[in-house]
Amino acid sequence: MALLNARNLVVLATFALLALAPAYAAWVETPFYLDLGRRMMILAIGALSLNLIMGFGGMISFGHAVYIGIGAYTVGICAFHEVTSGFVQWPLALAISAAVALVFGVISLRTRGVYFIMITLALAQMTFYLGISLDQYGGDDGLTVYAPSDFAGLIDVDDDLSFYYVVFVLLALCLWFSQRLIRSRFGMVLQGARQNEGRMEAIGVPVFRYKLTAFVIAGTMAGLAGALLANHTDFVNPEMAHWTRSGDLIIMVLLGGMGSIAGPIVGAAAFLLLEELLSGVTEYWQVIFGPFLILVVLYARGGILGFLSRKDGGDG
Amino acid sequence: MAEPMMEIRALRKSFGGVVATDDLTLDVGAGELHAVIGPNGAGKTTLISQLSGALMPDSGTIRFDGRDITRMPPYARSRRGLARSFQITSIFPEFTALDNVALAVQAHDGHSFSFFRDVRREARLRDPARAALARVGLEARAEVTARYMSHGEHRQLEIAMALATNPKMLLLDEPMAGMGPEESGLMVDILKGLKGEQTILLIEHDMDAVFRLADRITVLVYGRAIASGAPEEIRASAEVRHAYLGEDETV
């Protein structure tokens, strides 16, 4: 397999752009680009995690933003109670996301197809309303995070630039981890279960526990995105877990290329870029974005990366 | 006589008012190729589904390799050495032929909670998978994505996947379904090669193939075994001719 095919070039270019964005932002004196790039990368981690279960495992979760919300709220609530150490906040965010994903997974993975979509959606909305009911933490107004996660001087999340590269490195790590995961024994079972679950059972694999594990891994990774997002916006609110946010993640995955490991990163970048450009044209930017998405789904089934490579196997 | 590999006792299964398996009792001896034949709707696939665990019988017992497996889930039966091929091709279409078979090997090599090692570099999966592909004559097609293979090749791949699990017994559901004469001939050769070393329960419509391959034949009509015996006995049985082969047909 050629390493420098069109799809790998796009992934490399995306990473190069993200790596250089801070320099450009400083040059044109528009710190906003730094902000945009960081948001792209944080949501890319979320989309990457969704793609693990949706693209590779065939589990179309319509509630994946919940784990971002939980990760963010963990950091927010910790900060509210003056627990600002990142060494406590972040692992806790991952652990709680994982625990919730485990419970939600056990419930929702008993169903398939449309029912799975509906159950994940219902569980997500339940969690969303739980967030709204948390009056102590601002209810639907949300909660301002006054103090960023503190890593005892090791890394400075409060500094825009160093936080940017923290996110950059974490995204690269998540990509590397996904890459390994998909090509491992576990990844083969996950993809096999999507292609033909009955056959998977027939050759001797209890599929449920593997799907559940994938669901928990994806939820945990999204929880990380949440913890980052709380530090990015210095603010958390239930809206982060709203079903439309879950929809955005699905769109990012579709846009970049479902079933290609790096696709969601390109998808998240493209999504936010289009949102930015189009909302400059009109307040109702979705009017243009909607038809564009339809075209992508109709004519580029594998999303942007799939369109560029047009070949099988799909793990690049 | 040694204990049979599989003992089916008084197996019953009905769907609403339709009795698909009617008080069926059957033994498959170790190393035997036992064919089950019967007209459409005789309950052949229903039988295989109960043996493999995809369907639960209403009553009766299935013993396999000295253990009661009647209520075991499919993956547990597979783990104990009972492998099945499907009447309707059931493979992993987006994987290569080799990946398909290697996945079957993997399924029988402990758990799959391994997250970091590149599965396509694991010789302990790839080597047996290549060997299984070679047994069914697909070694040259190892790297072809399964979706792009022919129907006949899919059937061969099915057998390779079943073999790759290193089974004690194979359940083959119409391996020659939809095949042309040439492909069927190839499949008969493959099965002949397995005969003697594998215990096989074969369900097949192709009478020619069945009479050439089987050590014993059971005739199923409306879920009931109306005859069971050596191929010559079945050929000679008037009842079988009447019920299934047709009065005039000679086989």
Side-chain angles (χ1 to χ4, degrees):
Chain A
M1 191 164 72
L3 275 171
L4 282 179
N5 54 25
R7 112 180 354 204
N8 285 352
L9 280 177
V10 168
V11 176
L12 279 175
T14 308
F15 266 91
L17 283 178
L18 287 169
L20 296 174
Y24 180 71
W27 186 44
V28 297
E29 292 176 356
T30 317
F32 170 73
Y33 291 132
L34 197 65
D35 188 87
L36 180 66
R38 209 165 58 196
R39 218 158 81 81
M40 277 177 182
M41 295 191 293
I42 291 171
L43 289 177
I45 292 175
L48 205 59
S49 72
L50 175 62
N51 190 38
L52 286 181
I53 52 172
M54 182 170 124
F56 292 97
M59 296 170 257
I60 305 171
S61 167
F62 212 142
H64 204 62
V66 152
Y67 308 104
I68 294 186
I70 288 169
Y73 259 86
T74 306
V75 169
I77 291 174
C78 278
F80 181 80
H81 293 290
E82 284 162 16
V83 179
T84 54
S85 168
F87 296 115
V88 175
Q89 288 180 343
W90 291 24
L92 199 61
L94 298 191
I96 295 176
S97 311
V100 173
L102 180 68
V103 174
F104 284 6
V106 166
I107 298 168
S108 56
L109 285 171
R110 304 195 174 278
T111 62
R112 305 264 173 284
V114 174
Y115 301 100
F116 180 79
I117 298 175
M118 294 314 288
I119 282 204
T120 49
L121 176 61
L123 290 169
Q125 282 304 87
M126 247 174 58
T127 316
F128 168 73
Y129 284 110
L130 178 73
I132 284 188
S133 70
L134 291 176
D135 286 334
Q136 193 193 353
Y137 304 117
D140 57 359
D141 289 333
L143 189 63
T144 301
V145 184
Y146 288 106
S149 298
D150 174 25
F151 286 92
L154 230 59
I155 37 178
D156 186 4
V157 168
D158 205 18
D159 176 63
D160 273 342
L161 194 62
S162 67
F163 183 40
Y164 185 94
Y165 284 109
V166 166
V167 176
F168 184 83
V169 169
L170 285 173
L171 173 63
L173 280 175
C174 285
L175 178 65
W176 173 80
F177 171 75
S178 305
Q179 198 97 253
R180 297 301 298 245
L181 185 80
I182 290 307
R183 290 172 184 175
S184 70
R185 288 188 176 205
F186 180 83
M188 291 302 277
V189 168
L190 188 62
Q191 295 173 79
R194 181 196 71 230
Q195 294 174 43
N196 193 340
E197 188 163 340
R199 185 51 159 157
M200 209 69 224
E201 293 264 348
I203 59 173
V205 178
V207 168
F208 177 80
R209 60 187 78 158
Y210 292 97
K211 286 171 78 171
L212 182 61
T213 305
F215 198 82
V216 171
I217 290 173
T220 311
M221 206 190 279
L224 172 67
L228 296 173
L229 196 60
N231 279 291
H232 171 77
T233 53
D234 299 325
F235 177 73
V236 297
N237 69 354
E239 196 63 28
M240 285 174 168
H242 194 251
W243 69 272
T244 52
R245 292 282 155 276
S246 297
D248 288 349
L249 289 175
I250 292 179
I251 292 171
M252 288 171 198
V253 171
L254 288 175
L255 202 57
M258 188 165 69
S260 79
I261 298 170
I265 298 175
V266 177
F271 183 94
L272 291 183
L273 211 58
L274 283 169
E275 181 182 14
E276 209 42 58
L277 292 174
L278 296 178
S279 60
V281 177
T282 163
E283 184 185 340
Y284 307 103
W285 61 278
Q286 286 100 332
V287 173
I288 308 171
F289 187 72
F292 174 74
L293 191 66
I294 290 171
L295 288 176
V296 168
V297 171
L298 282 180
Y299 296 107
R301 283 278 172 81
I304 294 170
L305 287 196
F307 187 74
L308 286 172
S309 63
R310 289 279 154 139
K311 67 182 279 256
D312 272 297
D315 54 2
Chain B
M1 190 181 136
E3 195 185 5
M5 184 63 80
M6 181 172 272
E7 296 171 79
I8 302 163
R9 293 286 173 272
L11 203 66
R12 276 186 74 88
K13 176 79 189 174
S14 54
F15 300 100
V18 182
V19 182
T21 306
D22 189 0
D23 198 23
L24 184 75
T25 290
L26 190 99
D27 284 346
V28 183
E32 182 181 62
L33 198 158
H34 194 126
V36 174
I37 61 174
N40 280 326
K44 300 188 295 293
T45 293
T46 306
L47 173 62
I48 282 230
S49 295
Q50 291 171 83
L51 301 183
S52 69
L55 276 177
M56 286 294 148
D58 298 335
S59 63
T61 58
I62 305 163
R63 287 180 70 80
F64 170 65
D65 196 23
R67 249 182 93 134
D68 188 342
I69 61 160
T70 316
R71 298 285 153 197
M72 257 186 207
Y75 75 85
R77 297 180 198 216
S78 172
R79 290 253 161 119
R80 297 199 62 77
L82 188 60
R84 110 172 253 196
S85 82
F86 288 79
Q87 181 184 354
I88 296 162
T89 299
S90 184
I91 52 166
F92 304 106
E94 295 164 34
F95 287 151
T96 63
L98 187 58
D99 283 344
N100 267 273
V101 184
L103 192 49
V105 178
Q106 177 189 327
H108 287 255
D109 186 41
H111 63 74
S112 293
F113 287 104
S114 157
F115 300 97
F116 288 106
R117 195 143 30 114
D118 189 340
V119 80
R120 293 186 179 89
R121 292 191 183 156
E122 284 196 59
R124 64 183 280 149
L125 301 182
R126 305 308 263 188
D127 293 347
R130 281 188 200 281
L133 279 178
R135 290 223 59 173
V136 302
L138 281 180
E139 63 269 50
R141 306 283 282 159
E143 299 300 337
V144 178
T145 303
R147 187 197 294 143
Y148 300 123
M149 299 175 93
S150 74
H151 176 74
E153 288 175 328
H154 283 159
R155 311 301 308 183
Q156 288 163 257
L157 184 56
E158 285 259 351
I159 308 280
M161 288 169 76
L163 283 175
T165 64
N166 209 3
K168 295 195 177 103
M169 179 174 174
L170 290 173
L171 301 170
L172 303 181
D173 194 357
E174 297 199 26
M176 285 149 220
M179 278 188 170
E182 203 173 306
E183 290 174 323
S184 299
L186 184 63
M187 186 58 80
V188 169
D189 288 341
I190 291 169
L191 296 183
K192 265 194 180 147
L194 298 176
K195 203 179 143 167
E197 62 185 85
Q198 278 287 346
T199 306
I200 299 175
L201 184 78
L202 170 72
I203 284 183
E204 188 48 63
H205 261 303
D206 185 335
M207 284 308 118
D208 204 35
V210 166
F211 280 96
R212 275 165 64 196
L213 285 168
D215 298 310
R216 279 206 297 157
I217 296 175
T218 294
V219 183
L220 217 57
V221 176
Y222 296 120
R224 196 175 264 282
I226 62 162
S228 193
E232 315 81 67
E233 295 171 55
I234 298 299
R235 208 190 296 259
S237 160
E239 195 184 357
V240 174
R241 281 172 178 261
H242 179 72
Y244 177 42
L245 299 175
E247 294 285 359
D248 306 325
E249 194 178 335
T250 47
V251 282

